[in-house]
Amino acid sequence: MATLRQLALMKVQERSYVTSEAPSLKISDYFGSQVFGLKEMREALAPSVYQRVAGAIEKGAKIDMSTAEEVATAVKSWAMAKGATHYTHWFQPLTGSTAEKHDTFFDALSGMEKFKGSALVQQEPDASSFPSGGIRTTFEARGYTAWDPSSPIFIYDKTLCIPTIFVSYTGEALDFKTPLIRSSDAINHAAVDICQYFDRNVKKVTPSLGVEQEYFLIDKALYSTRPDIVMSGRSVFGHNPARGQQLDDHYFGSIAQRVKEYMKDFEIEAWKLGIPVSTRHNEVAPGQYEVAPLFEEINKACDHNLLLMDLMEKVADRHGFKVLFHEKPFAGLNGSGKHNNWSLITDTGVNLFQPSNSARENLQFLCFLVGTIKAVYVYADLLRASIASASNDYRLGANEAPPAIISVFLGSTLSSVLDELEHNGNVKIEKGDNMYMKLGLTKIPEIILDNTDRNRTSPFAFTGNKFEFRAVGSSANSAGPMTALNVIVADILKEMKVDIDKEMEAGKEKKIAIVDVLRRYIKESKDIRFEADGYSDEWAEEAARRGLSNLKSTPFALDTLVTKKTADLYKRHKVLNEKELHARHEIRLENYIMRVQIESRVMGDLALNHIIPTAIQYQNKLIENANGLKGLGLDHRAAIETIEQVSKHIESLKLNVGQMIEARKRINKEEDIAKKAKLYSTDVKEAYFDKIRYAVDKLELLVDNESWPLVKYREMLFIK
């Protein structure tokens, strides 16, 4: 009789790839066809109504109810013409994923389809059932979702989806979108003030984002045989394949046909939804891939990334795949990240992180570059907290991802420019462009685009005309870390404005005042800059000498959220109040605890109920073999020795699982969630996990592989 493992492997061998056809040979023919964007609004609304909506989106203003009624009528007609029967407010609660409650357009009382402006603008989901960190209690259920006009409405699976914020009855943010929008507003005001030194025409600055999404694909049949991957998203037990990623032959290799058809399928669906995916390729680890979009306004980019992840999971089911977004699903192989490429764009079309041949624009570029570096230096712990999670802890510093130490990589060319500015800024400055010659700033045009190398060990790297926040985990909602980045840069830009104005009030010419402030900022923040190997032990030692934090464990990193420094920062920019910050601290600690508990429970279940019975079954075979050899008068010492080794590791396994369960029970009795989380910190949980893994690994060496109950992850990784 075939085992579950054998049946799964046979299913994989029999599976053929599913082809997918695009609606047209030209992507432009159907790109955004499921989106009610500005083009569709212009066609469906009266000109005066369209102008009010477009103006509100541009300025972030509130849309009045009469305008909302006009939009609701138009969007209902558009959606129904495309086959939609329901609508939903699509929001991002603090679970980390998206949420939706579908209502039908059909009104039974009138026998007609209806959609009011009030339903477009606001709904009332049950706030008590979502994480609130104590903001709402179970009996205080009221919460509100409110339409976010800046992110376009779309149709997904015959349902009209309206992107919304989610707030409590008392007004606190219960989602990721609300603080992101607030942070974008904060950096807009701060950046415009700096731009005004150089170009009075700049009235708005918008954060731009491109999110590279890494992921693993495994066959659905093999996935179903692994309770650990089903329950926790990763393998708690496994065996390194003889051929993993050591040959470097998977990275950018020819994409397997079955995988390519899957990619084509979700790309087509993504383009219909207006998601500008543009790049696909094999990643380093077998079974690992990447999809990357073009840059978009940050709020829309974060929405699109969440929608893309959901879309990838649904399309994968059609192709017999499961998508793994866990940061480290397989030990010994590269984990997955979500590289957030961030920049600032003016309403005059200038990328503020793009050097040019203009001396004036390059001084502006230096303001934003140096301001961002100082922001990362001052608020490094907050950036670390923004990407902290139980799953990302496995990835950070694991020789394929940045370490937990936050640093900034600039490249040798740009580093030399800042060094020159810092050391020689006190040279007598003449008027005109000669000032930049004396400061060595003529070097800046040389770094346009690719005159800066890439450093994959850096969590925050400048890559020519943007910063790449590489430490974000593949399963994360990008809105969290990008909110933090927006806020800290806004804060330093505000400080820079005050400092420059003080220098000018003291009688300094504007350019000289700017250069003097930049010199000081470069000197103050230079410890955060690091150009070498972030994986090395030497860097950890050097970082400690520089006073940089190395917060390896999520519970300790999250403490930053409840410091006075963080509270004051978010309060200054009206992004989150202290109550909202404490709520997020509690929610994320509890999420960490729950995920570690799930992993420990599934580990105990597999060890006690799957692995030990199989080992005993094999041990019984060995006993029969030993008795048979003894009866024939043959040497049976080897069989006896193996039986003894199996017994020893079975007892070790039982003991270690029991100790882990007892430790979990003790911890669960603790009242203080922060104390509980510390006991669940990475080092502590790994101490338990490693003991159990050791016994399992030893058993695997002794037990016949054909009787081993779990499909090895080595068998999951090679897709034909």
Side-chain angles (χ1 to χ4, degrees):
M1 182 177 177
T3 64
L4 180 62
R5 169 178 177 269
Q6 290 166 335
L7 289 171
L9 291 171
M10 286 190 287
K11 183 73 173 176
V12 174
Q13 293 301 318
E14 294 167 1
R15 209 185 290 281
S16 59
Y17 61 82
V18 178
T19 59
S20 48
E21 294 294 332
S24 170
L25 294 176
K26 293 170 60 180
I27 297 170
S28 56
D29 288 343
Y30 59 93
F31 183 80
S33 60
Q34 299 298 101
V35 177
F36 191 73
L38 290 176
K39 176 178 174 290
E40 288 71 23
M41 285 187 185
R42 187 183 290 109
E43 294 172 353
L45 299 172
S48 59
V49 177
Y50 170 76
Q51 290 299 330
R52 289 200 296 273
V53 175
I57 293 172
E58 175 66 22
K59 298 175 183 176
K62 191 174 181 179
I63 292 177
D64 62 77
M65 190 52 67
S66 64
T67 302
E69 289 289 352
E70 296 277 0
V71 175
T73 300
V75 77
K76 181 198 73 173
S77 299
W78 173 81
M80 290 180 60
K82 290 182 173 291
T85 57
H86 290 68
Y87 67 92
T88 182
H89 277 200
W90 185 81
F91 58 105
Q92 302 168 30
L94 295 172
T95 56
S97 56
T98 58
E100 52 198 65
K101 174 176 72 74
H102 297 192
D103 290 301
T104 180
F105 288 123
F106 179 69
D107 178 51
L109 293 177
S110 65
M112 299 175 62
E113 277 72 22
K114 291 185 177 180
F115 185 49
K116 295 182 178 180
S118 56
L120 167 68
V121 171
Q122 183 175 305
Q123 277 192 335
E124 186 187 329
D126 184 349
S128 68
S129 299
F130 291 103
S132 71
I135 289 177
R136 309 296 291 153
T137 61
T138 301
F139 66 88
E140 296 174 311
R142 198 180 297 276
Y144 298 109
T145 51
W147 177 31
D148 170 21
S150 65
S151 188
I153 296 168
F154 57 93
I155 295 174
Y156 187 38
D157 197 21
K158 302 297 182 183
T159 300
L160 182 72
C161 298
I162 303 154
T164 63
I165 63 169
F166 180 40
V167 296
S168 74
Y169 177 69
T170 47
E172 291 91 0
L174 296 175
D175 66 343
F176 284 92
K177 180 184 275 282
T178 302
L180 178 67
I181 293 173
R182 292 171 180 169
S183 72
S184 295
D185 190 51
I187 200 168
N188 167 44
H189 292 303
V192 166
D193 284 346
I194 299 299
C195 288
Q196 289 287 305
Y197 289 128
F198 305 96
D199 185 356
R200 291 287 182 180
N201 294 317
V202 174
K203 298 295 186 287
K204 184 177 182 180
V205 173
T206 303
S208 173
L209 182 66
V211 183
E212 302 170 28
Q213 179 69 58
E214 294 176 337
Y215 61 98
F216 278 85
L217 280 181
I218 61 176
D219 190 275
K220 191 161 54 172
L222 296 174
Y223 169 84
S224 299
T225 66
R226 292 297 303 242
D228 49 353
I229 299 179
V230 172
M231 292 294 168
S232 68
R234 77 179 188 98
S235 56
V236 297
F237 298 128
H239 184 76
N240 286 334
R243 178 184 170 191
Q245 62 187 53
Q246 62 268 51
L247 296 178
D248 296 323
D249 55 343
H250 190 257
Y251 190 52
F252 278 30
S254 177
I255 302 172
Q257 189 62 40
R258 186 176 162 209
V259 174
K260 188 183 292 183
E261 291 298 329
Y262 161 69
M263 291 176 166
K264 286 164 58 179
D265 201 353
F266 81 68
E267 284 174 346
I268 290 166
E269 297 301 321
W271 288 324
K272 290 178 184 176
L273 291 165
I275 305 172
V277 293
S278 63
T279 302
R280 63 185 183 212
H281 63 82
N282 289 0
E283 258 300 332
V284 174
Q288 188 186 34
Y289 307 92
E290 181 179 298
V291 55
L294 298 175
F295 288 76
E296 298 182 280
E297 182 273 324
I298 197 166
N299 181 34
K300 188 189 294 186
C302 289
D303 283 2
H304 276 168
N305 179 252
L306 288 176
L307 181 56
L308 179 64
M309 291 170 70
D310 189 62
L311 183 65
M312 290 168 69
E313 291 180 325
K314 286 184 168 65
V315 173
D317 192 58
R318 295 204 292 259
H319 292 258
F321 283 129
K322 289 298 293 187
V323 183
L324 302 183
F325 290 117
H326 192 288
E327 281 76 4
K328 191 78 171 180
F330 304 113
L333 296 174
N334 275 18
S336 297
K338 184 176 287 186
H339 304 159
N340 281 225
N341 295 279
W342 175 84
S343 57
L344 297 171
I345 311 298
T346 70
D347 54 356
T348 58
V350 174
N351 179 351
L352 295 171
F353 291 117
Q354 174 68 68
S356 77
N357 291 315
S358 163
R360 177 179 61 84
E361 289 179 4
N362 278 335
L363 188 57
Q364 177 177 264
F365 159 75
L366 281 174
C367 285
F368 286 94
L369 180 79
V370 173
T372 301
I373 294 168
K374 184 176 179 182
V376 175
Y377 173 71
V378 174
Y379 295 107
D381 287 356
L382 181 57
L383 273 192
R384 170 65 181 96
S386 76
I387 49 94
S389 69
S391 51
N392 209 23
D393 278 357
Y394 287 112
R395 166 180 168 262
L396 293 178
N399 292 325
E400 80 279 347
I405 305 167
I406 298 297
S407 64
V408 177
F409 171 82
L410 297 177
S412 57
T413 303
L414 199 48
S415 289
S416 65
V417 170
L418 296 192
D419 290 342
E420 177 73 14
L421 180 56
E422 177 195 354
H423 297 137
N424 298 327
N426 58 356
V427 175
K428 181 181 177 182
I429 298 173
E430 301 174 13
K431 293 183 178 180
D433 288 350
N434 192 40
M435 174 183 74
Y436 304 97
M437 295 287 291
K438 285 182 177 279
L439 293 174
L441 300 184
T442 51
K443 296 179 182 178
I444 294 176
E446 298 173 13
I447 69 165
I448 291 175
L449 294 182
D450 296 323
N451 201 14
T452 175
D453 200 356
R454 289 182 179 269
N455 186 336
R456 63 199 304 271
T457 73
S458 174
F460 197 80
F462 186 76
T463 55
N465 58 359
K466 62 188 182 298
F467 277 100
E468 183 179 22
F469 195 5
R470 296 179 54 87
V472 182
S474 54
S475 67
N477 183 333
S478 290
M482 301 322 292
T483 296
L485 181 57
N486 281 347
V487 173
I488 66 173
V489 175
D491 195 64
I492 298 303
L493 292 180
K494 283 287 187 185
E495 180 186 322
M496 181 182 290
K497 165 72 173 169
V498 171
D499 289 345
I500 291 172
D501 286 350
K502 282 182 180 178
E503 296 287 333
M504 291 169 62
E505 288 167 5
K508 290 184 180 179
E509 192 265 330
K510 181 173 68 176
K511 292 178 181 178
I512 298 175
I514 291 171
V515 168
D516 284 349
V517 170
L518 290 180
R519 286 185 64 228
R520 177 158 57 85
Y521 280 24
I522 291 168
K523 187 173 183 178
E524 290 171 349
S525 62
K526 67 190 303 180
D527 281 342
I528 203 71
R529 288 159 44 196
F530 180 66
E531 303 293 308
D533 182 5
Y535 297 152
S536 65
D537 293 337
E538 290 78 11
W539 167 229
E541 295 167 3
E542 171 64 21
R545 284 194 291 272
R546 296 184 186 190
L548 304 181
S549 297
N550 186 4
L551 301 171
K552 296 181 180 180
S553 180
T554 287
F556 296 99
L558 292 179
D559 283 350
T560 306
L561 297 178
V562 289
T563 61
K564 185 178 185 301
K565 179 180 178 181
T566 299
D568 290 345
L569 168 71
Y570 278 92
K571 183 179 180 180
R572 274 197 300 275
H573 299 282
K574 301 178 181 179
V575 174
L576 290 169
N577 61 35
E578 194 166 350
K579 187 176 182 181
E580 291 168 324
L581 281 169
H582 277 268
R584 278 157 174 74
H585 179 250
E586 183 170 329
I587 289 166
R588 292 179 64 188
L589 283 178
E590 186 149 14
N591 180 274
Y592 179 89
I593 292 167
M594 293 302 106
R595 291 188 182 279
V596 173
Q597 282 189 348
I598 289 168
E599 287 184 8
S600 66
R601 287 191 175 109
V602 76
M603 181 178 275
D605 171 58
L606 289 177
L608 297 180
N609 301 319
H610 294 254
I611 292 167
I612 287 178
T614 302
I616 291 173
Q617 183 181 29
Y618 186 66
Q619 192 179 45
N620 289 335
K621 290 182 182 179
L622 291 173
I623 292 170
E624 290 177 16
N625 177 261
N627 287 333
L629 291 171
K630 183 178 180 181
L632 294 171
L634 299 174
D635 186 358
H636 59 286
R637 286 176 298 178
I640 294 296
E641 184 180 328
T642 304
I643 292 167
E644 290 174 347
Q645 287 180 311
V646 169
S647 294
K648 182 182 72 172
H649 293 304
I650 287 174
E651 289 307 311
S652 174
L653 206 50
K654 287 180 180 178
L655 176 65
N656 291 326
V657 170
Q659 289 177 340
M660 182 177 68
I661 292 171
E662 287 304 312
R664 197 170 66 227
K665 287 179 180 178
R666 289 196 306 272
I667 291 168
N668 284 339
K669 290 180 182 178
E670 297 289 339
E671 293 290 332
D672 185 2
I673 193 169
K675 185 176 180 181
K676 190 189 296 184
K678 296 300 183 297
L679 292 171
Y680 269 127
S681 68
T682 306
D683 293 340
V684 176
K685 77 178 181 186
E686 284 301 322
Y688 288 116
F689 288 8
D690 283 345
K691 290 178 184 178
I692 297 169
R693 288 193 195 102
Y694 175 80
V696 170
D697 289 345
K698 290 297 182 183
L699 278 173
E700 185 179 25
L701 294 174
L702 297 167
V703 176
D704 176 14
N705 276 340
E706 284 306 309
S707 63
W708 202 247
L710 298 178
V711 174
K712 309 299 184 297
Y713 67 72
R714 60 186 165 193
E715 295 166 334
M716 296 179 164
L717 299 175
F718 296 97
I719 300 168
K720 296 180 181 178

